[in-house]
Amino acid sequence: MKKKIIIIEVLGMTCASCALSNETALEKVKGISKANVNFATKKAVIEFDKEILSEQAVMEVVIENGYRVAGFNEDIKKGEYRMDEVEKSKKTFLFSAIFSAPLLLKMFFEPEIGTVFLDLDLVSWLELIFAAIVVFYFGARFHRVAFLQAKKMQTNMDTLISMGTLVAFFYSVWAIFNGKVVYFETSAIIITLILLGKYFEEKSLGAASSAMKKLLELGSRKAQLLLNGEEESVSIERVRVDDVLLVRPGEKIPLDGKVIYGRSSVNESMLTGESLPVDKKIGSNVFGATLNEDGILKIKVTEIGEGTALAQIIKTVEEAQGSKAPIQKMVDKVAGVFVPSVLVISLLTFVGWLFATADFSLAIINAVAVLVIACPCALGLATPTAIMVGTGRGAKNGILFKTSESFERAKNISMVIFDKTGTLTKGTPRVEKIVANPENGFERKKILKIAGSVAANSTHPLSRAVKEGAKQKNITLQSLQEVKEESGMGVTGFCDTHKKQLMLGNIKLLEKHKVDTVWAKTILEDDNLSQGTKLFVVHNGLVVGLIIVADEIRAQSKKAVAKLAAKGLKIVMISGDNEKTAQAVAKQLGIKTVLGGILPSGKSKEVEKFQAQGEKVVFVGDGINDAPSLAQADLGIAMGGATDIAKETGQIILMQDNLEKVVEAIELSQITFKTIKENLFWAFFYNIVAIPLAIAGILSPMIAAAAMSFSSFSVVINSLRIYRK
């Protein structure tokens, strides 16, 4: 067996039971070993034997089941969500409502037209026309899916909607000719309310981001291939493992590889989330889509295609997104039992009344009443209305909820894990502290002037931070000659005025130029100093001072951490920085649990470890490397300035880089999910009470329709309470 996994986008699903129906249909097919259909994301992850089935054959199973397939794999990665689906749902509901409105008015006001056509009330004929348009045109998709399900001896919510509306409609047609009460408004209003729920749902899901497409675009499409001493520009698809590529300063590294020539600083922030570049030399590993900053590199390609770090992140995210939350599985099971149960109850009601009274009309009326009153309008509106209000309130306050799963995942959370760089901190280095060497008597302002003058000749992020620090102090910088940037160490040059050599860099730079390092080594071991990158300042062969460059903590970070801790939540910080730096930042924020020196690939594993211990984890991050963790966590929150893939993966996006919004997002998630549970409770409670009444013949289809409408109205009203909570 040659296993293959594809991800397809399924359109036309109206409820959780639709997802279950597709799973059942897929898993019955020989050659398909596993199928997972997620109603919230509209995606199906299917594992099959490619020796037995093709991708097209797999998609045909879904199509034959009554649903549409938008595309698979590469098409899905483009993230091209069809906004026309939202607009189509809106228009369908509005036109259905227009044609249903006269029926609704007639139900409440019973106009006496008094006109008779062929001995029949003209009003009834007009009702038939309006109802027929709504039921058979605007409600066509429900009947189509129900028919296809019936052919496979299966049922879902569409079955109940279809049967309830069709029985009510055709009974009403019969009633016209037999002088009985008609129930055209019942069939039309059921369709219209369900369409309203569908529109709410489509709108709440929103437009799926094109982040997957943007993520793929991060990588270079071209590479400079070195072949037989000649340089050739080729497409990335032509590159093979062991090929040698030339990467100039300012260019993206096309693929994963190993440095075989040169030294440089490489900005890996798009993968690691860390703002500071990483020094690369011969033997160092480099990754596709990262940026070569200041040196020429020759790299030997080690991974192409799906083997690259970027591709692996995409794969991890896709697999995590394709998984299904436990609560969704529970809903699927309930949905799978609810529909056939109602159908059986309706049939038994018909048989029971027919046997007891021998009155076909009374039996059919009571059976229709059961179908109508059990029609899942309230159930259909319970979740999307709460989501619509919750997302509306969130958007107003700068919080974007992407799917209903966001609210489910907020349940019973116990831990919040923060990424450090770009999340708790701004992700931009700045001068944190200046330390003067007392042996040489230089003031801190003079030290900063020397450092700024040297840094002005470099584009390195650390140099830019030092230069900006001098600028903020209004220090006039000195021009330099013979400036030399020494990769991985620092910058040297000679002062134009005094012809003295100036240096700015790490201890390796000092050792290379045989500068006395006694004080430098002593200061490096001082644990009382602020943690950050330490840059030594040299004037004419003497170490005159030290400049510490560190990432700036966001203004709201400490307050947000305190609020979350006050809620009884465990707070954890995770970072790729060394342990000392991470601990120093955590101490300022009041975070006790710190995981430092964690590789990009290890963050999601740490989240998984906490989950294995029983923790319900919220992960807050911003970088591409955070995407697997955002997907792995029970609830993922992406910062406003996050990378597109982080926003794609996170269930919640903060439109502002304000960490206090994390607290608000969690609170709103919990409130909304609580409201959803309340709505579902009342929807089920309504059925538990109303169905027996319909069975007993106490409720006519007319009253049942009114009760059904009221149940839907009550769900909407309860959802609107979210605005006031």
Side-chain angles (χ1 to χ4, degrees):
M1 176 180 178
K2 293 186 178 179
K3 291 184 179 179
K4 185 172 183 178
I5 297 176
I6 63 168
I7 302 172
I8 65 175
E9 188 173 6
V10 183
L11 301 179
M13 295 192 295
T14 58
C15 60
S17 63
C18 296
L20 183 63
S21 172
N22 280 306
E23 284 184 2
T24 303
L26 286 163
E27 290 178 346
K28 284 183 177 179
V29 176
K30 183 180 179 181
I32 296 178
S33 54
K34 188 177 180 181
N36 191 355
V37 184
N38 192 312
F39 172 59
T41 62
K42 309 294 185 187
K43 292 179 182 178
V45 181
I46 305 161
E47 183 182 282
F48 66 101
D49 188 345
K50 65 179 184 179
E51 293 183 339
I52 300 176
L53 296 169
S54 65
E55 288 96 341
Q56 187 60 41
V58 173
M59 290 190 288
E60 285 295 331
V61 177
V62 176
I63 296 170
E64 290 175 4
N65 201 42
Y67 301 91
R68 292 171 290 150
V69 175
F72 69 96
N73 286 2
E74 299 302 324
D75 299 323
I76 300 299
K77 290 178 184 178
K78 294 179 181 179
E80 296 175 352
Y81 183 85
R82 291 143 181 84
M83 286 302 294
D84 59 320
E85 287 294 313
V86 179
E87 192 61 27
K88 183 180 177 181
S89 291
K90 180 181 178 180
K91 289 181 179 179
T92 303
F93 159 68
L94 288 175
F95 280 109
S96 181
I98 290 171
F99 282 96
S100 297
L103 302 175
L104 188 63
L105 291 173
K106 185 264 178 184
M107 183 179 79
F108 285 109
F109 298 107
E110 291 287 343
E112 298 291 337
I113 297 181
T115 302
V116 175
F117 180 69
L118 296 179
D119 295 325
L120 300 172
D121 189 354
L122 181 61
V123 173
S124 296
W125 281 98
L126 291 173
E127 283 188 274
L128 188 154
I129 294 171
F130 281 117
I133 294 172
V134 174
V135 172
F136 295 105
Y137 183 74
F138 298 113
R141 63 178 176 179
F142 301 117
H143 309 310
R144 178 176 60 85
V145 175
F147 175 72
L148 292 172
Q149 291 294 301
K151 285 177 63 178
K152 296 178 177 291
M153 302 298 290
Q154 297 175 3
T155 62
N156 61 10
M157 291 291 187
D158 291 324
T159 305
L160 202 56
I161 295 168
S162 179
M163 288 194 64
T165 55
L166 290 178
V167 171
F169 180 85
F170 286 112
Y171 172 80
S172 298
V173 173
W174 175 85
I176 290 179
F177 294 95
N178 291 273
K180 304 291 184 178
V181 178
V182 298
Y183 303 104
F184 289 118
E185 71 282 349
T186 297
S187 57
I189 292 169
I190 288 173
I191 293 293
T192 301
L193 287 173
I194 295 297
L195 290 174
L196 174 62
K198 177 62 178 173
Y199 169 61
F200 281 166
E201 178 188 296
E202 291 285 355
K203 188 176 179 180
S204 69
L205 291 174
S209 156
S210 59
M212 278 297 183
K213 182 179 180 180
K214 292 179 180 178
L215 179 59
L216 294 172
E217 292 174 349
L218 281 178
S220 291
R221 304 314 307 160
K222 294 285 185 178
Q224 302 304 312
L225 178 64
L226 294 176
L227 192 62
N228 299 323
E230 298 291 327
E231 181 182 343
E232 182 184 357
S233 180
V234 300
S235 67
I236 205 73
E237 289 78 15
R238 283 186 55 187
V239 180
R240 298 290 181 263
V241 173
D242 293 333
D243 281 349
V244 178
L245 306 178
L246 177 69
V247 187
R248 294 182 173 86
E251 295 180 346
K252 287 183 179 179
I253 294 172
L255 294 162
D256 295 6
K258 190 178 291 290
V259 177
I260 61 173
Y261 171 85
R263 297 188 67 156
S264 183
S265 295
V266 175
N267 186 337
E268 296 182 342
S269 61
M270 63 248 333
L271 287 179
T272 67
E274 302 295 333
S275 59
L276 298 179
V278 181
D279 293 325
K280 301 292 184 181
K281 59 183 179 180
I282 294 175
S284 298
N285 292 318
V286 292
F287 305 98
T290 58
L291 182 65
N292 181 29
E293 291 199 336
D294 53 27
I296 294 177
L297 295 176
K298 292 180 183 179
I299 67 168
K300 188 175 185 179
V301 177
T302 56
E303 296 287 351
I304 61 173
E306 295 182 355
T308 64
L310 191 62
Q312 287 299 308
I313 289 175
I314 293 174
K315 183 181 178 182
T316 302
V317 172
E318 286 182 334
E319 289 177 352
Q321 287 186 330
S323 63
K324 187 176 292 185
I327 192 170
Q328 187 61 52
K329 294 179 181 179
M330 182 191 71
V331 172
D332 288 348
K333 290 179 181 179
V334 172
V337 174
F338 181 77
V339 176
S341 297
V342 171
L343 292 175
V344 171
I345 292 170
S346 179
L347 178 62
L348 291 175
T349 300
F350 173 77
V351 172
W353 277 96
L354 185 64
F355 180 79
T357 64
D359 189 332
F360 178 82
S361 177
L362 184 61
I364 198 73
I365 286 173
N366 290 332
V368 169
V370 171
L371 286 173
V372 171
I373 205 146
C375 196
C377 292
L379 287 173
L381 292 171
T383 299
T385 54
I387 290 170
M388 187 187 69
V389 178
T391 54
R393 176 178 164 180
K396 184 179 179 182
N397 296 325
I399 302 167
L400 178 62
F401 294 90
K402 291 173 57 184
T403 69
S404 59
E405 200 173 359
S406 310
F407 306 104
E408 293 179 9
R409 293 189 177 201
K411 184 179 99 169
N412 299 328
I413 62 168
S414 60
M415 177 180 286
V416 181
I417 300 178
F418 287 99
D419 169 57
K420 182 183 76 67
T421 305
T423 303
L424 290 168
T425 67
K426 292 184 177 181
T428 53
R430 68 167 189 170
V431 174
E432 186 74 21
K433 193 177 184 67
I434 302 173
V435 182
N437 184 350
E439 296 178 3
N440 296 313
F442 279 67
E443 296 180 350
R444 285 183 293 178
K445 188 174 182 179
K446 181 71 179 289
I447 294 170
L448 184 57
K449 180 176 181 176
I450 296 171
S453 299
V454 178
N457 297 274
S458 171
T459 59
H460 194 284
L462 292 176
S463 295
R464 290 197 294 266
V466 174
K467 181 183 176 182
E468 183 63 27
K471 183 180 178 182
Q472 290 176 359
K473 297 291 185 181
N474 296 316
I475 294 174
T476 303
L477 302 180
Q478 187 73 42
S479 59
L480 270 63
Q481 295 178 346
E482 299 179 37
V483 177
K484 184 179 180 182
E485 192 160 4
E486 303 190 31
S487 182
M489 291 183 284
V491 186
T492 65
F494 288 86
C495 176
D496 267 350
T497 306
H498 304 99
K499 310 301 179 183
K500 306 281 187 179
Q501 189 179 38
L502 308 177
M503 300 181 190
L504 177 67
N506 56 31
I507 198 164
K508 292 181 181 178
L509 183 69
L510 274 57
E511 291 172 344
K512 180 181 178 181
H513 290 270
K514 302 187 185 310
V515 176
D516 189 341
T517 60
V518 174
W519 181 81
K521 290 180 178 179
T522 301
I523 208 77
L524 285 175
E525 295 173 358
D526 190 346
D527 292 332
N528 295 319
L529 288 177
S530 301
Q531 297 297 323
T533 302
K534 294 178 174 63
L535 303 174
F536 295 100
V537 182
V538 178
H539 179 272
N540 197 31
L542 299 174
V543 181
V544 298
L546 170 74
I547 291 182
I548 300 175
V549 177
D551 201 356
E552 184 178 359
I553 294 174
R554 295 187 186 278
Q556 308 86 5
S557 293
K558 189 172 183 179
K559 191 178 292 185
V561 169
K563 286 183 178 180
L564 291 168
K567 291 179 164 296
L569 298 173
K570 301 172 185 176
I571 311 298
V572 178
M573 190 187 81
I574 190 167
S575 175
D577 278 347
N578 63 72
E579 190 72 29
K580 281 189 176 181
T581 300
Q583 287 286 354
V585 173
K587 186 177 180 180
Q588 295 180 61
L589 296 172
I591 299 175
K592 296 179 180 179
T593 306
V594 182
L595 301 176
I598 305 299
L599 296 174
S601 60
K603 287 187 179 182
S604 63
K605 293 179 181 177
E606 296 297 331
V607 173
E608 192 173 359
K609 286 180 184 178
F610 283 119
Q611 290 174 318
Q613 297 169 13
E615 303 289 353
K616 296 290 184 180
V617 177
V618 175
F619 188 91
V620 187
D622 73 307
I624 291 176
N625 67 308
D626 295 326
S629 300
L630 288 164
Q632 177 64 45
D634 298 278
L635 181 66
I637 301 178
M639 301 293 290
T643 60
D644 289 324
I645 186 57
K647 292 179 180 179
E648 169 74 12
T649 311
Q651 291 79 46
I652 299 174
I653 300 172
L654 305 182
M655 295 184 227
Q656 308 164 9
D657 286 328
N658 182 350
L659 280 178
E660 290 188 80
K661 294 294 180 181
V662 172
V663 184
E664 191 175 337
I666 292 172
E667 291 176 343
L668 184 55
S669 297
Q670 293 174 331
I671 290 170
T672 304
F673 187 70
K674 181 182 177 184
T675 303
I676 291 172
K677 290 195 295 183
E678 291 173 352
N679 287 346
L680 290 172
F681 170 79
W682 287 112
F684 278 111
F685 181 77
Y686 150 79
N687 278 289
I688 291 171
V689 174
I691 290 177
L693 294 176
I695 294 172
I698 298 174
L699 298 179
S700 69
M702 181 70 72
I703 297 174
M708 180 270 296
S709 299
F710 177 78
S711 69
S712 301
F713 178 74
S714 65
V715 164
V716 174
I717 292 298
N718 189 52
S719 296
L720 290 172
R721 291 172 62 236
I722 295 173
Y723 277 124
R724 301 192 297 270
K725 292 181 177 178

